[in-house]
Amino acid sequence: MEKNNTILVATGASLDVAGLELALAQHQYRVESVTNGAHALQVAAAGGVALVLLDVTQAGSAELELTGQLAHAEPGRRIPVVLMSSRPSQEEQQRAGRAGADGYFSLPLATTSVVDNVLLAVQGRRIGGYELEVNYHMMAAASPDAVVLLDMDSGRPVDLNHRAEQLLGRSALELLAMPLADICDPAELAAMMERVHAGELAVHRISFRHSSGRVVECEVRGVRINRPDRRLFHIRLVDVTGTQRAQALRIGQEQLLEMMARGAPLQETLLALVQLVESQSEGVLCSVILLDEDGMHMHCACCPSLPPAYSALLEGMAIGPGVGSCGTAMHRREAVLVSDIQRDPLWAPYLELIKDFDLRACWSMPIMQDEHTVLGSFAMYYRTVRRPDAEEQRLIGVASHLASIAIERARREAELLRHRTHLEDLVDARTAELSRAMQQAELSNEELQAALENLSMTQEELVRRDKLAALGALVAGVAHELNTPIGNSLVTASTLADHTAVLARQLEAGIRRSELETYVGQAREAGDILQRNLQRAASLVASFKQIAVDTTDAQRRSFDLEPLLFELLTPLWASLPQPRPRLVMDIAPGLAMDSYPGPLSQALGHLVDNCMTHAFGTQPGAEPTVTISAHAEGSEVLLAVADNGAGIAPDHIRRIFDPFFTTRLGAGQSGLGLYITHNIVTGVLAGHIDVASTPGFGSTFTLHLPMTAPR
């Protein structure tokens, strides 16, 4: 045994000192552990220390000055010092080098790896017996990735870091003792090395076998290290198994959603879901349990990997607070994670029933439609005792959510089918009911048709009678109006004839001048009477002719409404006899129209004449006033003639635009003015006319005229 055979460990962190003692004893080294720097200096100064493992938290200030003190604690000899850090960083590693450290690695580290670091620093070799530079080992220990240094001649690793041990599930002793090709595809490894030798810088994909048997997909980068005495190959490994599984999960989710969208059967969708989840985790056996509509009993919907006898046990079982993982999860409406079935009280009543199925762990997540409605449960079984990690908990959450979508869609489709069937029954019943109602309606229709025909005949008879009555009134009025001037003309003409006969006799006997002058005066007076009465008769006939409005001679032009109305109404009002009503003009300026000013003036004249004839009597009251207003409304002009006179009786309103209707028939009125106005407004001017009246408070006639009359 060498004189300097003590490995001094100075750390306040948890380190497997007992395991380290046992491992180093095989190499004739003893371990002494201290917890502070002062004690470490005392032990180092006493002599016999081969190497110091110093925790950076015990190494003094930021300059790690205890490193140098320990290295020179024994006079005449330098003691190697290797720093250990639970929070390694590039900056700290550089400070360790400046402080004189012989090595630097990160904690936690497996005992075998610690032994490797000790032997490397003390003897300059690994357990495998290869001499390497200390700098490479320090670099590998601080690397965030798994790193392996491969001897190309033997095919075995000569150095590796702790992350490589974790990635491959094997200790450094195991890995250093076997060719790397034993745990991967030799052809893939050889192809990568060949490409690197050819100068290709690329990422290669190689599958490694974990000690548990699972496949670890890695992205590998390799660099050849040129040394005169050995062919070495630096390999960096990055585990992409999780990335691949995440991508497979995403693709599987998309495929499941597509199956749901195209209406795939529920059993087919759930089977695809279970197979997807089972591909994401090693050794998992999945099941989907549905809760019956009674909300109490379970039904095994999809359990392809579980023993059929176990699935049969679940069929029809009632859920509850202590019914295994699935029954409890559905009862509680929350996830139930049982890591050891043999020791969990939820499974105690069923251990005898499931003893032959070798199920050791079961994680169950309820499948929820909403926060109150449970559809079933999604379970993940394992044949080993284990708890889920964060990724597995996320996976079971995703699975239960997808199952919820599939089950809810299937139930909605079943409900729609029931509704569709019920709707068809309702349609059939309603169709039969409608057929009966149609038959009754046809009978009623025939009766209504007969009644309508009788009503039409009655209406036609009433219209005919109304027309005859109106015609009779018209004839009476026309006869009365024409009778006066014609009668006066006849009397005057017969009187003139008598005077002419007397004059003829006087001429035979000799006529005096005075008699002739008398006759001439009588003849002149008779001529005047005849002219006035015939002129009156001609005027009546002309008004009758205006019933049919002839627009062939109407002149269309663009004009401003305001000056047109002032030109029309100013002389018209001045010609009225006193006392005449007050005229109020409220005409918006700039009302440009493209229409027929002549017919418009004629219609307005009839309205004013109607107002003067019917609105104002001799009864006392407010000052008689006629208001003419006009303003634009959209593409129309609203022209109104209003008075504050007697108004129109309600039973007369509906007839005022009828031809020959007048309340003053026989008093010089023919009842054609408003009818002619109506024809002009609705025909020539392409508008319409409204009337509003309150007896005793006046009337308002409103013309709705387009600014541009149709051509």
Side-chain angles (χ1 to χ4, degrees):
M1 181 179 293
E2 297 180 4
K3 178 182 178 181
N4 298 321
N5 65 341
T6 300
I7 305 299
L8 177 60
V9 180
T11 178
S14 59
L15 188 67
D16 185 8
V17 177
L20 188 61
E21 287 178 344
L22 182 61
L24 288 174
Q26 301 176 15
H27 301 278
Q28 291 75 46
Y29 288 101
R30 60 180 291 271
V31 175
E32 183 169 349
S33 177
V34 298
T35 59
N36 60 71
H39 192 183
L41 283 172
Q42 293 176 1
V43 174
V49 175
L51 179 138
V52 179
L53 291 177
L54 176 63
D55 194 327
V56 293
T57 60
Q58 306 289 329
S61 65
E63 298 303 322
L64 308 176
E65 63 272 8
L66 186 59
T67 304
Q69 296 173 11
L70 286 171
H72 301 91
E74 183 179 347
R77 186 175 72 90
R78 186 181 183 281
I79 303 174
V81 179
V82 176
L83 291 181
M84 306 177 295
S85 175
S86 58
R87 295 182 180 180
S89 67
Q90 185 68 29
E91 187 271 338
E92 187 178 68
Q93 185 175 351
Q94 293 173 355
R95 285 192 285 115
R98 290 195 298 269
D102 295 271
Y104 176 90
F105 62 86
S106 60
L107 294 175
L109 202 63
T111 299
T112 54
S113 296
V114 176
V115 172
D116 286 346
N117 280 275
V118 169
L119 295 178
L120 178 66
V122 174
Q123 303 175 0
R125 64 180 179 86
R126 297 296 304 262
I127 293 176
Y130 291 94
E131 295 181 359
L132 300 173
E133 289 86 348
V134 174
N135 289 341
Y136 179 85
H137 185 70
M138 292 177 62
M139 178 275 296
S143 173
D145 299 319
V147 173
V148 175
L149 185 64
L150 186 67
D151 186 317
M152 297 174 60
D153 295 322
S154 66
R156 297 181 180 181
V158 295
D159 200 0
L160 51 92
N161 63 2
H162 180 57
R163 289 178 175 80
E165 296 179 73
Q166 293 176 324
L167 177 66
L168 301 174
R170 292 173 170 83
S171 68
L173 291 174
E174 292 179 276
L175 292 170
L176 293 171
M178 67 170 65
L180 188 63
D182 288 354
I183 57 173
C184 70
D185 187 336
E188 292 180 352
L189 182 62
M192 181 204 69
M193 296 174 66
E194 182 178 348
R195 293 191 185 98
V196 172
H197 285 316
E200 179 180 337
L201 298 177
V203 177
H204 304 271
R205 185 67 61 86
I206 299 180
S207 300
F208 290 86
R209 288 185 299 278
H210 192 270
S211 60
S212 65
R214 65 183 176 88
V215 176
V216 180
E217 295 288 342
C218 293
E219 287 185 349
V220 181
R221 289 182 182 271
V223 178
R224 182 177 178 179
I225 300 177
N226 294 316
R227 291 191 51 176
D229 56 342
R230 186 174 295 123
R231 295 192 308 155
L232 300 177
F233 202 82
H234 168 73
I235 301 174
R236 182 172 65 87
L237 309 175
V238 177
D239 185 3
V240 295
T241 306
T243 303
Q244 288 185 324
R245 287 185 175 176
Q247 183 178 7
L249 179 62
R250 178 182 59 78
I251 295 173
Q253 288 178 280
E254 293 175 354
Q255 293 173 344
L256 282 168
L257 293 174
E258 183 180 349
M259 292 176 65
M260 298 177 201
R262 69 169 185 263
L266 178 61
Q267 188 67 28
E268 180 182 339
T269 305
L270 293 180
L271 178 60
L273 173 61
V274 167
Q275 292 173 342
L276 173 63
V277 176
E278 288 180 347
S279 69
Q280 291 286 309
S281 181
E282 295 289 338
V284 66
L285 313 172
C286 296
S287 72
V288 178
I289 305 296
L290 296 184
L291 194 60
D292 287 343
E293 293 184 1
D294 62 4
M296 285 298 298
H297 295 88
M298 296 184 285
H299 167 66
C300 190
C302 186
C303 312
S305 301
L306 290 172
Y310 177 75
S311 302
L313 289 176
L314 300 178
E315 194 68 30
M317 184 178 292
I319 66 174
V323 184
S325 299
C326 294
T328 305
M330 287 185 276
H331 175 77
R332 294 179 180 175
R333 298 185 178 88
E334 63 182 25
V336 174
L337 307 178
V338 175
S339 59
D340 189 350
I341 289 177
Q342 298 293 330
R343 299 178 179 276
D344 197 287
L346 297 178
W347 285 85
Y350 311 103
L351 292 180
E352 188 64 26
L353 296 175
I354 66 170
K355 64 180 181 179
D356 297 329
F357 302 125
D358 192 26
L359 301 175
R360 296 303 306 273
C362 180
W363 316 329
S364 183
M365 176 75 72
I367 301 171
M368 306 293 295
Q369 179 178 344
D370 51 50
E371 63 175 317
H372 302 294
T373 307
V374 181
L375 299 176
S377 70
F378 189 94
M380 298 171 66
Y381 292 84
Y382 289 88
R383 299 191 185 277
T384 57
V385 175
R386 58 177 296 180
R387 290 192 60 82
D389 56 25
E391 182 62 26
E392 288 168 330
Q393 291 189 39
R394 188 186 72 83
L395 179 61
I396 194 173
V398 170
S400 63
H401 178 65
L402 290 172
S404 171
I405 297 174
I407 296 169
E408 186 176 359
R409 181 198 61 80
R411 291 192 174 184
R412 288 185 183 277
E413 286 188 354
E415 185 177 358
L416 285 174
L417 180 60
R418 289 195 299 270
H419 284 311
R420 189 180 300 116
T421 303
H422 180 59
L423 182 59
E424 290 175 355
D425 295 339
L426 289 178
V427 169
D428 292 340
R430 186 60 177 165
T431 301
E433 183 180 349
L434 288 174
S435 297
R436 292 191 297 270
M438 186 178 296
Q439 293 175 358
Q440 295 176 356
E442 289 176 354
L443 294 175
S444 300
N445 189 43
E446 292 177 359
E447 295 175 357
L448 289 173
Q449 187 66 31
L452 181 60
E453 291 177 358
N454 291 333
L455 181 61
S456 297
M457 293 174 60
T458 303
Q459 185 179 13
E460 291 175 359
E461 180 64 21
L462 289 174
V463 170
R464 187 179 65 82
R465 291 180 182 180
D466 286 346
K467 287 182 177 179
L468 290 175
L471 183 58
L474 173 64
V475 171
V478 170
H480 179 78
E481 292 295 330
L482 291 178
N483 185 59
T484 300
I486 293 174
N488 291 338
S489 298
L490 288 174
V491 171
T492 302
S494 62
T495 302
L496 182 59
D498 290 343
H499 290 165
T500 302
V502 172
L503 179 61
R505 288 194 298 271
Q506 289 176 346
L507 285 174
E508 292 177 357
I511 187 170
R512 294 191 296 274
R513 182 181 179 85
S514 59
E515 292 175 340
L516 181 59
E517 290 176 350
T518 298
Y519 174 79
V520 171
Q522 292 174 343
R524 184 181 295 111
E525 183 179 358
D528 291 340
I529 293 172
L530 286 171
Q531 184 178 5
R532 286 197 304 272
N533 283 279
L534 291 175
Q535 182 64 43
R536 182 179 177 186
S539 297
L540 288 172
V541 172
S543 67
F544 298 152
K545 290 174 64 178
Q546 288 181 346
I547 293 175
V549 180
D550 185 6
T551 63
T552 56
D553 296 331
Q555 296 296 318
R556 178 193 180 108
R557 64 181 176 86
S558 298
F559 59 91
D560 191 334
L561 184 61
E562 183 181 19
L564 176 70
L565 296 182
F566 275 98
E567 290 174 5
L568 171 67
L569 295 173
T570 301
L572 175 62
W573 224 255
S575 65
L576 295 177
Q578 293 288 356
R580 53 177 174 260
R582 182 169 64 95
L583 176 64
V584 176
M585 300 283 283
D586 182 17
I587 312 300
L591 294 177
M593 298 183 67
D594 183 4
S595 189
Y596 300 91
L600 175 59
S601 300
Q602 184 181 358
L604 190 61
H606 282 300
L607 290 176
V608 172
D609 181 64
N610 180 75
C611 178
M612 301 305 300
T613 303
H614 298 282
F616 305 112
T618 58
Q619 69 275 17
E623 179 184 7
T625 303
V626 176
T627 301
I628 311 295
S629 61
H631 66 276
E633 188 172 289
S635 61
E636 290 185 335
V637 172
L638 272 58
L639 176 60
V641 178
D643 64 71
N644 62 347
I648 304 172
D651 55 342
H652 291 164
I653 286 281
R654 62 185 182 85
R655 299 187 60 194
I656 58 174
F657 296 118
D658 291 345
F660 309 119
F661 175 76
T662 180
T663 57
R664 304 190 65 183
L665 191 62
Q669 301 298 318
S670 62
L672 297 176
L674 291 181
Y675 177 69
I676 294 172
T677 299
H678 184 273
N679 284 356
I680 292 174
V681 172
T682 58
V684 180
L685 304 179
H688 65 277
I689 183 170
D690 295 333
V691 61
S693 179
T694 302
F697 293 93
S699 305
T700 300
F701 289 84
T702 304
L703 279 61
H704 298 257
L705 305 174
M707 291 185 176
T708 302
R711 298 183 181 275

